Amino acid sequence: MRSRNVASAAIAGLVAVALAACGSNTQTGDNGNANAPTTPLQTTSGGAGGDVGVFTWWAAGSEKKGLDALEELFKQQYPNDKFVNLAVAGGAGSNAKAKLASDLQNNQPPDSFQGHAGAELMDYIDKSQIEPVNDVIKALGGESVFPKDLLDRLTVDGNIYSVPSNIHRANVVWANTAVLKKAGINEVPKDLKAWMADMDKIKASGVATPLSVSGTWTQVQLFENVLIADLGVDGYSGLFDGKTKWDSAEVKQAVADYKKLLSYANTASDGDDWPVATDMVIDGKAAYNVMGDWAVAEFNDKGKKQDQDWTWFATPGTDGVFDFLADSFTLPKGAKNPGGTKDWLMLIGSAEGQKAFNLAKGSIPARTDVPASDFPAYQQGAMKAFKEDKIVSSIAHGAAVSLAWNADISTAISKFYASKDENGLVSDLAAAAKKNQG
Ligand code: GAL
């Protein structure tokens, strides 16, 4: 079980205690009373009826395909309910999160919203904006179908606050095979230095911007990849519990490496969304893009085939590490149709829902009982990596830091994009940590 001030600790150390509190009939009840048994979930066949407004940022293009798959199944399984799509465009919730915050503040919550497992979810829990969904998790099978360590990230004081839909990996380089071939590159670079040497070769072969980037949150994600490469798993995870200093020599090295990487990249506008950068790889205008594995959906959408058109590898220096994030869905306090929300959550958490959603989204199921053989090669590899690799939490996608801390890091990264002032970035990052670390 997690208490309210350890939200961003690394997954591994948290597992054991977590589920002792949330898998049995001593599970916490809806009011946070650890001794109250969970009231069994009440459902109506065909659904509770009424509108179910679902808030996400999966509004367009390949992002929307996963949501569409869920909507389709929801219609079939809950014909009494009406799915209302409240999506707000902008990758990583870059626009959606501000709208959500104001709707929650004004007591106008949707019936369910997308939130990241980990520190971000804690924000909503701390503000008492979401309700426990212990009954839904229990009805879905609890720890017999969800990984214990993942449930832990959704749990506070014995209550589970959301239903996980998927797991994404954020430390992946997507590459255009033809561009690599033309530059004579046929090996995966083992570290950042080797990777940058390959970028020199790619430049020499005629591609001016070997690496593609988009708006600020994609830069935060790229920087987090460099931090993992330069600090290692323990050093990186220590950034969130105070064990690693944000102005340490290792972070300074990461800032220098990040600056050098940007020198190989295109010029992005603040608001460019991620498909702009991924499409540069698809179109051969860049060799590489560091992106979460929602990129798989973009390659599929554009009819591109793994190995033939694109390939992937863990960001150099992070092999054997899985930079983790998970989307999950909530029951907001004051939701107009809690019965309909629970129908939605049951669909999100079902094996059928997870298969349909993740096949379209590029992610892997949060459930452990959806057969790997139902998925294409990339996702089969990601499932294996999630089991075997060391897990770290993504900064850009709400697993490692709170919304406020993420906003401060994003401001610092955006400023750096213009200034390229290394000392300035280090001191902004250190100030952000001091302000936000609990
Ligand atoms: C992440 C989210 C992913 C994907 C990505 C790009 O924050 O967890 O599911 O949507 O943003 O928008």
Side-chain angles (χ1 to χ4, degrees), residues 2 69 74 141 173 190 197 230 302 355-356 434:
R2 182 183 314 212
F74 189 61
V173 177
K190 66 175 188 323
D230 281 341
K302 297 270 156 81
K355 181 176 165 185
K434 193 163 174 217

Side-chain angles (χ1 to χ4, degrees), residues 57-58 63 91-92 116 168 217 274 294 325 327 361 397:
W57 52 85
W58 300 326
E63 290 269 80
H116 288 126
H168 271 303
W217 72 261
W274 68 269
W294 44 91
L325 64 123
D327 294 301
K361 189 70 168 46
H397 304 286

Side-chain angles (χ1 to χ4, degrees), residues 27-95:
Q27 194 174 4
T28 307
D30 279 0
N31 299 318
N33 172 357
N35 297 317
T38 297
T39 315
L41 179 71
Q42 307 288 329
T43 49
T44 308
S45 161
D51 286 355
V52 184
V54 176
F55 185 96
T56 68
W57 52 85
W58 300 326
S62 62
E63 290 269 80
K64 188 168 175 288
K65 299 250 158 99
L67 187 61
D68 288 347
L70 283 171
E71 181 181 351
E72 196 49 46
L73 271 182
F74 189 61
K75 278 186 188 151
Q76 284 167 22
Q77 295 188 7
Y78 298 96
N80 303 343
D81 296 338
K82 183 165 173 258
F83 177 88
V84 180
N85 189 343
L86 303 176
V88 172
S94 41
N95 305 317

